[in-house]
Amino acid sequence: MGARKQLPKGLERKGAHGESDTQQQVKRIVIVNHERCKPNTQAFQYLKKHARGCGRECIMVKSKFGGKNGKETREYIHVSELACHACLNRAKRTPGGAVKVVNLPSNLNKDVTHRYGQNGFKLHRLPTPRAGCVVGLLGKNGIGKSTAINILAGRLKPNLGRFDNPPTWADIITYYRGSDLQQYLTRLVENDMRVVRKVQLDHDYVRKLEGKVVRELLEEHDQRRVSAGLIVKLELEAVLEREVQTLSGGELQRFAVAMVCSQDADVYMFDECSSFLDIKQRMTVTECIQNLLVDDSFTGKSGTSKYVVVVEHDLAVLDYMSDYVCCMYGEPGAYGVVTKVATTTCGINNYLSGYFPAENLRFRAEEISFHVSSACSSGDALLASASFASVEDVLGEIKYPAVTKTLTQKSTGSTFTLHIEGGSFRACESIGLLGQNGCGKTTFMNILAGNINTDESKPPRDLEGKDIDGFFLSGIGVSYKKQVYAPELRKFQGTVADLFEQELQSMCADHLFKLLVMKPLELEDIHSLDTNTLSGGELQRVAIALCLGKPANVYLLDEPSAGLDCEHRVIAAKVIRRWILTHLQKTCFIIEHDFVMASALADRVVVYEGTPGVECYARTAVDLSNGFNSFLAQLSITLRRDPINWRPRVNKRGSQLDTEQKTSGNLFVFDKDIVSIK
C-alpha cells in the first residue's frame, strides 16, 4: 500500500536529457528560436563566436542533414540547459531575442508530455476530454494549446520529453495508466474513434481548398445529413456558389464550423471558432457546437458518447459554450502546463485570479477583475474616469450631422445603404460601435477618418445648420487602426524598432509612451524582430501601438482584440483607456465583438439596426445601459455579472435569470457601488 507504481524500464518520469528525477537538477529551460538563429543571421554569428568560450560544451555549433535530398549539411546552435552562468548570460544577450532562458518552478521536473527537441518548447500534462461534455482550453498564445489539441487529435505523438529516444504508443498508454486519459488514448491508437478538427484559419487552410466551391464541399462532407440546417443557421446561403478563397474572414469561419459539424465523428475539436464573427454569429456557432452532444438520429450515435474540445479567447463565449475547462499557464514559447479539469465558472475565475487552489500555485502576480464604476454615469470604466472639468479646453464638444452612404458591390451590383443619425462626442470619452457584421461599422469609421465621402451632393450640415467642409472630422486630426492590418505591416522591410522609428519618430523616445503603451503591450521584447516574422497577435499589438503613438484628437480602433489571447485583451483595453482618455484626454471610437472588451472599453455606444448588407441605421450614441439593452434585444440575449470578478456572462437561453431579465427589460446587469476595473 502506498508504494509508487513501477513503470517499464526506460519509462521513468525523466527530463529532456534522460536523467531521473533524482539525477535531474535542471532548474531552467533554454529555448533557441532556430528561425531567428539561421546561419546567415547576426544571432547565429554572435553565438558561434562564443561557442566553447568557457572551454566546455555550454554553447555549441552542431550539424545535421537537411535540404530537399536530405544530404545537405546544416549548422545549428545548441545551448545546454546545464550551461555555466557566464555562457547563460551570453546567451541571454543574443541579438534578436533568438535565445530565451527561463527559470522553471520547482514542480516542473516531471510530467513532461512532449518536447520539441533540444532547446525547444515543452508541454506538461494534457487536457482531459470528457464524454458528453464541452471542455474548453484557456490560456495565453504560445502556451501549448495547439500542441495539446494535436496530441488529442492523434496528429502528434507525445514523446514524454524523450525526444532522443521516443517511446512507443504502448509505453505512452502505460505512462497514463490509471488516469482518465488512458481509455481516450487507447481508443485513439486503436482507431476506435474518429476525430475531426477545425484548425486556426490561415493561408494554408485556404490554399488547400482553393478552387473548391462551398456548396460542393458541404455536400461532400455532410455525413450527418445536417448541412441544410447548418447553411440556414450559419447564414451561408449567399456564398454557396462561391469558391473558398473568395470568402471573407467571417464567412470562412462559419464555413469551417459547418464543415466540421456536418461530419460524423466521435471527437470534435475547434481551435478559435469566434474570430472574425460578430456577437450574434458567435452565439449561433456556440449553439451549433453544443448541438453536437445531442443524440444523432441519422447516425444513431448518442450525444453522451461524443467528446468536444474548444480553444477560445472570448471569455463570455467560452463560459457559455463549455461545461468544463482546463487552464494553461507557463512562459509563452518556452513551456506550458495544463491544470486539472474544473467546472467552467471555477476554472475561469481561478485563471483570472492568477491562482489555482487545487495545486496551491500562483502563476500571475495580479488578478484580473471587471468592476463597474458608480462614479461613471454612462456605465463601465476600465480606469477611473478623467476629470471633465477641462474637457472644453482640450477638445470641446464635436457635433456631426445626419448623413447617408451607399456602397455598390462591383461583382453583383447589389447596394448597401448606411444611414447615420446626427450626434456628438467630447474629449475623455470612448464610444463603442455595436452591430452585426455587414451593418456598416467600418464604413462609419472610414467616413470619420475621411477615407470615403458621403452621398450628400451638398456640403453636410452640423446640428446647428452650419455647412461642414469635407468629412466629419476634417481638420481635427485622426489616427486610425484598420480592421485588416497584417498585409501592410508584413510588407515593411525591417525590424519592429525600424517601423516604430519611421512611423512614430520622436514618440519612440517618450518615457510615458514607453511606460504606458510599449511596456504593457510587451513590445520591447519583439523590437529587434523583422515585421514579416511576427505572429497575428504580435502584429495586432504593434498596430495598436502605432495608432496610439500618432498625434490626434480622435482615435479610431477597429477590432483591437482580434488575434489577442484573453490576457492581452484586458491589457490592451487598459492601455487604450489609460493612454487616450486619461493621459491624452482625447476621444476614441472602437469596434469590438468581444462582450467583455466591448463593455470594458466603451462609455457610450452607437447601436446599429436594420438588415446587414442591405440597409442599416447607426443611431445616436447613448449610455451603456440603454445601448446594450437595445442591442441585446436584437439578439434575444441577456448578460449578468459574475459575483467574484464582475466579468460579463451570458445567461443560458430560457434560464430563470434569462427570463427575469427579459421580463424586466434589464438585459445587461450593471451593478452599482463597485470600484472600476483593475
Side-chain angles (χ1 to χ4, degrees), residues 334-355:
Y335 73 94
V337 184
V338 182
T339 66
K340 298 177 181 178
V341 67
T343 59
T344 301
T345 301
C346 184
I348 294 178
N349 287 347
N350 288 342
Y351 184 83
L352 293 175
S353 71
Y355 176 71

Side-chain angles (χ1 to χ4, degrees), residues 452-465:
I452 58 177
N453 210 340
T454 60
D455 294 345
E456 282 67 23
S457 57
K458 297 180 180 180
R461 300 189 173 197
D462 62 19
L463 299 182
E464 297 176 353

Side-chain angles (χ1 to χ4, degrees), residues 397-402 420-425 463 604 619-621:
E397 186 177 23
I398 302 297
K399 298 179 180 179
Y400 59 84
I420 301 174
E421 293 185 351
S424 64
F425 59 89
L463 299 182
R604 292 193 296 152
R619 303 304 186 186
T620 302

